[in-house]
Every structure is written in C-alpha cells, then in structure tokens.
C-alpha cells in the first residue's frame, strides 16, 4: 500500500529528525560520561541515525514506485515502466539491509531489558519488511524475461476440473497458450485435451522424468507396455502429479514431442480461480446459456451445473467460450494492478488453485518466494502429511465428494513406537438416480453414482498400515518427490460415507500447532 506507506514514512522522518535533535542536545551529550546512560544513548543514537537515513531513502524510493504502471492495458505491459522500477526497488532493498545490520549489531550489557525487547520487536518488523522487499525485487527483475523482453515466451494454461480429480487438483479438459512478446500478451491457441491426444505421435512420446514418476504413474499411460513410450492418451493425465514443477516438465516435453515447438512455462487455474477473476471482468454471457456467469456462480456452473444442463459437445463449447472471454477481458484492461490482484488472488495461490512455473532458475526463485510455484509442500518442507485424489472411474462425481481430515498422535504398544493416525472421512453425496452415465458411470461395472478413487497419502517417514471402516486395507507404497507415498483404490456408493485411516511412523514430537496436512485442491472449498 504505497500511499499509506508514503504517509507513514513522512511521519517517521519527522520523528527520527526530532530524535536526532534531542540526542544531539547539550543535556543529552552530557550523558556520554555517565555510566549506563552513555551505553543507552550510544545504542539509541546508532539506531536512530541509521533509521533516519533509511527512512529518507525509503521515502525517495517509494515516491518513484507506482505498481499501477504495471497494469495490462490493451493487451500489453509497458516494459519501460518495469525497467524503471528496478532502481528504486534495489535502493529500498539496500536501505532495509543496512537497517537490519544496525539493529542486529551487539548491544551493550548495560542496556536494560525493556530497551532490548523493543529493539527485538523492531527487528521482527524489519525482517518481515525485508521479505516483502526481497520478493518485490525478485519480481521486478524477473518480469522483463517473463514478458518476453528478449524473446517471445509461451505459457501453457491448464484449466483444472476437480469434478474429475487429479493429484494436482483437477483433470485438464481445456488448455490455452499465452504468448508474451516484448510486453504484448495474446491468447495464441485454445483447445481441449482431446486435441492434444489426437495430435500426438501414434507410437508414443519419449520423455525424461525421474524413475519414481514412472514407478508411480507408468501404468497411467506414461509407459507403454509395447515400447516404453508415453501413450497419446496420457495428455488426459498430465495433472497426475501433485507437483506443478513436475507437471510443467511433463507438459513441456510432451508438447515438444507433439508439435516440435517449445513451451516456456505453465499456469494452472481451477474453477474457483476463474470465479475470482470474474470479479475483475464482470459477468460473462455465453451463447446457449440464458443466465450470466459471474463471481457468485461460475464455480458451481463449471463443477456441476453444466453437466446437468447440456450435452457434451455444447458443454465443451460453452466452457471454451467462457475461458476465452474471461482471458481476453483481462488482457483488454480488466485486470487490476499487481498489488490489488495479489491481494485478491493470494488465497487461491495458497490453496494451489492458481500456480505458475517456468524452466528459468531466476523465475523459479521468485515463484517459490511468493508461493506461486505450486511445489508439492512435503518436498518443499511445508507440510508433514499430504493427501491427493485421482478419479479412477472416470466420471465427474468428485463434484459430489466431501472430505474431512484429522490427525492424532499415539504410542503403538505392538510396534513400540510413536505413530500418527491420518484419518480421512469421505462422503459421496451423489444421488443413486438422476445423473447421466457421463457424470456418474464407471468402467468397473459398479452401480451408477459410485465414486471410484485412487487415494494417495504422503509422509517423509514410514507407513505402518491402513484401515477402511476399521478393516485392514492393502497399501501400495512407493517414493515420490523425495517422500513416501501410500496409495489405495476406494469405492464409495452413492449417498455413502467411508473412513480411511493411514498410520505413519511419527517423525518426531507433535508440533505445538499440530501436524500440518496438505490436501490437494478439490471441488470442495472451505475458505
């Protein structure tokens, strides 16, 4: 909030100038020879002098930073405005570093606790500011490359559909390609996963992925029994990994094998993110649907209503038009400035419903810093346990799936070790009748409305065992992304509930705030 920041910096400059004046006054200088007083005066003067200088430099930098200059106008971002931000942001970053150095300098033992506690409090504040400024600097320096300043960049937009779950969140039914060329942004391609499948080489695609990827997902069309290549139909499973960087590498290689051109990065968007974007664009209308689609009903329309109202061909066309119109409206000027957008979209980034990743290390550093990279939290050390869902029917019943997750620590007398029970309560709210075969059917010969899930749980340590409704179940155990994955298939009849408990060896004592569990984004959202 640069307007408020400028006001506060003005006040701070006045306050520090007054403090410097008082510390330089004759009565204050006399304290230089008084024990205890001298040490307190020296500490205060050192901090005030540094803070006064930093404040002035921050004032100058803040006055030169106008994030609204980075808005998309007529499909373009002004690269000159981006470049102009680098100097002021770097100056602000250097000033903050100097203030940190001053605050972290050793303090005399004569300085009393109330003063040292106040300094520690300010240190905490400045550390938070440093993180924000560092992130800003990373973004400003990465932005020209992302925007195609030196060469055109192409980004694959994956529209996730959690009504048919995948580990990353949802099945990728639609995709687009966003091209950025010297700041000009355009939607260069739009299509469906079937288009990708039909365009792929019939004999398959050769890709280079870690062994643990093929160990876990080779059977999902990523390793043909005939020739070991990725089958064309694997385009429908590109969200099979919960890790967006892994998905990015997968898409880049499969795209190159399909079209012999390059993709520079990936953007993942789910229905709830699309719904939030409509707060910027306003309501959208699509031919064939007599209601407007807006920021109150878009997610429900995408997840459920479209399947109830329209035949498949019309439904796919409606989604394509909605996505195109939304993106084109954003590029046309509906997208707010970056600070406004970041505040509104931040929750969706935190939930992994919006993510972006590229193959450039400096851009990866920036995406990681702001949480936009979509890295699997366990591999990044940000969670203790993980849960992902993959629809194994296939159908669209995950729009009717509800879940509740809890953890409990205990000592296992039989094993003689501390364990953690990860309990997953699943409820299939789908009706037994009234849904079409497309929505509620399955390839397992089970009754209509049965939810068939491939459920995976993750932990850095070992798996002890698992139960379903109190009865032991078998778990497939592999390693993925540096952690242990335990998976099982689960059938849930319409209107039924089931409880899965997976028991893990505890990695240590339970943290004060409880165990951290990451649940991949689903059709259920409880913000």
């Amino acid at each position: 909030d640069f307007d408020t920041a400028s006001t506060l910096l003005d006040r701070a400059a006045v306050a520090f100038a007054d403090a410097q004046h008082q510390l330089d006054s004759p009565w204050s200088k006399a304290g230089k020879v008084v024990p205890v007083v001298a040490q307190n005066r020296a500490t205060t003067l050192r901090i005030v002098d540094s803070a006064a200088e930093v404040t002035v430099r921050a004032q100058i930098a803040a006055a030169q930073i106008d994030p609204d200059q980075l808005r998309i106008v007529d499909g373009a971002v002004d690269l000159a405005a981006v470049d102009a931000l680098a100097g002021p942001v770097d100056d602000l970053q250097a000033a903050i570093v100097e203030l940190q150095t001053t605050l972290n300098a050793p303090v005399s033992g004569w300085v009393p606790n109330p003063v040292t506690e106040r300094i520690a409090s300010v240190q905490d504040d400045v550390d938070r500011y440093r993180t924000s400024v560092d992130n800003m600097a990373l973004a400003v320096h990465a932005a020209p490359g992302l925007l195609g300043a030196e060469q055109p960049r192409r980004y694959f937009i994956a529209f996730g559909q959690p009504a048919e779950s995948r580990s990353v969140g949802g099945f990728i039914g639609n995709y687009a390609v966003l091209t950025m060329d010297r700041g000009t942004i355009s939607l260069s391609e739009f299509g469906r996963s079937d288009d990708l499948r039909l365009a792929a080489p019939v004999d398959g695609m050769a890709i280079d992925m870690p062994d643990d990827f093929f160990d876990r997902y080779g059977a999902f069309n990523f390793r043909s029994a005939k020739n070991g290549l990725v089958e064309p139909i694997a385009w429908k499973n590109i969200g099979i990994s919960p890790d967006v960087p892994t998905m990015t590498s997968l898409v880049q290689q499969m795209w190159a094998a399909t079209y012999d051109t390059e993709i520079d990065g990936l953007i993942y968007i789910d229905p709830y993110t699309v719904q939030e974007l409509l707060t910027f664009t306003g309501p959208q209308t699509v031919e064939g649907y007599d209601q407007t689609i807006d920021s109150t009903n878009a997610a429900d329309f995408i997840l459920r209503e479209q399947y109830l109202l329209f035949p498949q061909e019309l439904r796919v066309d409606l989604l394509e038009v909605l996505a195109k119109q939304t993106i084109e409206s954003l590029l046309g000027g509906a997208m707010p400035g970056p600070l406004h957008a970041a505040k509104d979209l931040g929750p969706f980034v935190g939930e992994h419903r919006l993510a972006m990743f590229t193959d450039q290390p400096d851009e990866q550093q920036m995406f990681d810093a702001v949480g936009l990279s979509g890295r699997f939290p366990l591999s990044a050390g940000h969670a203790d346990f993980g849960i992902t869902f993959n629809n194994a029917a296939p159908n669209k019943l995950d729009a009717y799936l509800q879940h509740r997750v809890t953890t409990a620590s205990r000592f296992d007398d039989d094993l003689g070790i501390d364990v953690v029970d990860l309990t997953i309560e699943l409820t299939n709210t789908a009706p037994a009748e009234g849904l079409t075969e497309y929505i509620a059917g399955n390839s397992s010969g089970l009754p209509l409305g049965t939810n068939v899930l491939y459920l995976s749980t993750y932990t850095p340590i070992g798996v002890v065992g698992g139960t379903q409704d109190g009865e032991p179940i078998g778990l497939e155990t592999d390693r993925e992304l540096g952690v242990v994955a335990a998976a099982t298939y689960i059938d849930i009849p319409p209107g039924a509930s089931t409880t899965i408990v997976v028991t893990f060896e505890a990695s240590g004592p339970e943290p004060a705030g409880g165990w951290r569990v990451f649940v991949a984004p689903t059709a259920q959202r409880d913000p």
Side-chain angles (χ1 to χ4, degrees):
D1 184 350
F2 282 84
D3 290 337
T4 301
S6 295
T7 299
L8 295 175
L9 286 167
D10 290 343
R11 293 178 187 171
V14 173
F16 283 126
D18 181 59
Q20 284 180 308
H21 176 72
Q22 292 189 47
L23 289 167
D24 269 339
S25 66
W27 66 265
S28 176
K29 288 181 178 179
K32 293 167 64 176
V33 297
V34 180
V36 181
V37 174
Q39 285 83 358
N40 279 273
R41 178 184 181 278
T43 297
T44 307
L45 185 60
R46 173 172 55 81
I47 293 173
V48 166
D49 284 346
S50 177
E53 180 185 351
V54 167
T55 302
V56 171
R57 289 163 60 183
Q59 280 181 295
I60 295 171
Q64 296 175 313
I65 299 173
D66 180 7
D68 280 340
Q69 291 179 345
L70 305 186
R71 286 191 61 174
I72 301 171
V73 179
D74 294 330
V77 175
D78 185 351
L79 289 179
V82 176
D83 289 336
L85 287 178
V89 169
D90 288 345
D91 290 344
L92 183 58
Q93 188 179 36
I96 292 289
V97 170
E98 287 186 26
L99 183 55
Q100 277 186 311
T101 301
T102 299
L103 290 168
N104 292 331
V107 176
S108 168
W110 290 98
V111 176
N113 284 340
V115 177
T116 58
E117 289 172 1
R118 186 63 182 271
I119 292 173
S121 175
V122 176
Q123 285 174 326
D124 291 341
D125 289 341
V126 174
D127 288 346
R128 288 197 301 273
Y129 303 150
R130 168 72 185 275
T131 298
S132 295
V133 173
D134 284 350
N135 290 349
M136 189 188 302
L138 287 170
V140 166
H141 287 288
L146 284 166
L147 292 165
E150 297 180 358
Q151 60 183 18
R153 303 288 294 275
R154 284 157 49 86
Y155 303 99
F156 184 98
I157 303 179
F159 294 96
Q161 171 53 295
E164 183 180 337
S165 60
R166 295 292 186 271
S167 291
V168 78
F171 163 73
I172 310 303
N174 292 84
Y175 77 93
V177 175
L178 204 65
T179 297
M180 301 193 187
D181 187 3
R182 289 170 291 183
T184 298
I185 309 171
S186 60
L187 191 64
S188 53
E189 296 178 45
F190 202 100
R192 309 164 190 172
S193 60
D194 277 335
D195 299 332
L196 299 170
R197 175 180 61 84
L198 294 172
V202 175
D203 292 336
M205 299 164 278
I207 64 172
D208 182 19
M209 298 295 286
D211 289 341
D212 62 8
F213 177 86
F214 289 113
D215 289 343
R216 285 220 71 205
Y217 303 121
F220 294 86
N221 310 115
F222 287 101
R223 179 167 279 169
S224 167
K226 180 174 65 176
N227 56 18
L229 299 179
V230 176
E231 299 177 58
I233 199 172
W235 270 115
K236 289 181 169 291
N237 283 331
I238 55 175
I240 199 76
S241 168
D243 184 64
V244 171
T246 298
M247 181 183 178
T248 302
S249 176
L250 195 64
V251 167
Q252 286 179 312
Q253 294 184 69
M254 291 173 63
W255 183 276
T258 300
Y259 295 110
D260 198 26
T261 58
E262 292 186 0
I263 287 292
D264 297 291
L266 181 142
I267 302 169
Y268 177 80
I269 300 176
D270 92 335
Y272 289 101
T273 306
V274 172
Q275 179 168 281
E276 184 65 21
L277 291 172
L278 291 178
T279 64
F280 306 146
T281 67
Q284 300 288 317
T285 58
V286 292
E287 187 176 353
Y289 186 52
D290 59 3
Q291 298 183 41
T292 58
I293 302 172
D294 58 31
S295 59
T296 66
N297 64 6
D300 188 67
F301 174 80
I302 296 170
L303 290 167
R304 283 171 286 270
E305 190 173 6
Q306 57 156 322
Y307 298 111
L308 299 173
L309 296 179
F310 305 109
Q312 182 176 0
E313 190 58 38
L314 178 57
R315 175 182 56 75
V316 171
D317 289 341
L318 284 172
L319 281 180
E320 184 170 328
V321 170
L322 174 62
K324 274 185 176 180
Q325 287 181 180
T326 301
I327 293 176
E328 288 171 353
S329 181
L330 292 169
L331 297 180
M335 192 74 174
L339 295 184
H340 180 179
K343 289 177 182 177
D344 289 352
L345 296 175
F348 303 91
V349 172
E351 297 170 24
H352 286 217
R353 296 183 184 278
L354 172 62
M356 183 173 183
F357 200 75
T358 74
D359 55 9
Q360 298 299 308
D362 57 335
E363 294 165 9
Q364 292 175 12
Q365 183 184 6
M366 186 267 288
F367 292 139
D368 283 335
V370 301
L372 191 60
S373 65
R375 287 192 189 275
F376 186 46
L378 267 72
S379 61
H382 298 151
D384 302 303
F385 302 98
I387 301 169
T388 65
F389 304 97
N390 273 283
N391 185 297
N395 56 35
K396 299 297 183 284
L397 280 180
D398 294 330
Y400 300 88
L401 182 67
Q402 296 181 351
H403 67 268
R404 179 174 177 268
V405 177
T406 57
T407 61
S409 302
R410 62 182 174 86
F411 182 79
D412 190 293
D413 293 323
D414 294 332
L415 297 173
I417 59 172
D418 290 319
V419 299
V420 180
D421 291 325
L422 180 63
T423 300
I424 308 160
E425 300 174 38
L426 300 170
T427 301
N428 179 7
T429 65
E433 298 178 354
L435 298 179
T436 65
E437 181 76 22
Y438 183 83
I439 300 172
N442 60 79
S443 58
S444 303
L446 297 170
L448 201 71
T450 301
N451 192 303
V452 185
L453 279 180
Y454 182 66
L455 174 70
S456 297
T457 56
Y458 298 82
T459 177
I461 315 295
V463 182
V464 174
T467 63
Q468 180 174 6
D469 299 326
E471 296 296 324
I473 55 172
L475 295 169
E476 302 173 2
T477 304
D478 291 293
R479 293 195 66 83
E480 181 182 5
L481 300 167
V483 297
V484 177
T488 188
Y489 285 91
I490 299 169
D491 302 334
I492 314 172
S497 296
T498 189
T499 299
I500 309 297
V501 179
V502 182
T503 302
F504 298 103
E505 183 178 346
S507 57
E510 183 170 346
W515 298 106
R516 300 167 302 171
V517 181
F518 169 74
V519 181
T522 68
Q524 172 186 326
R525 181 172 189 255
D526 302 308

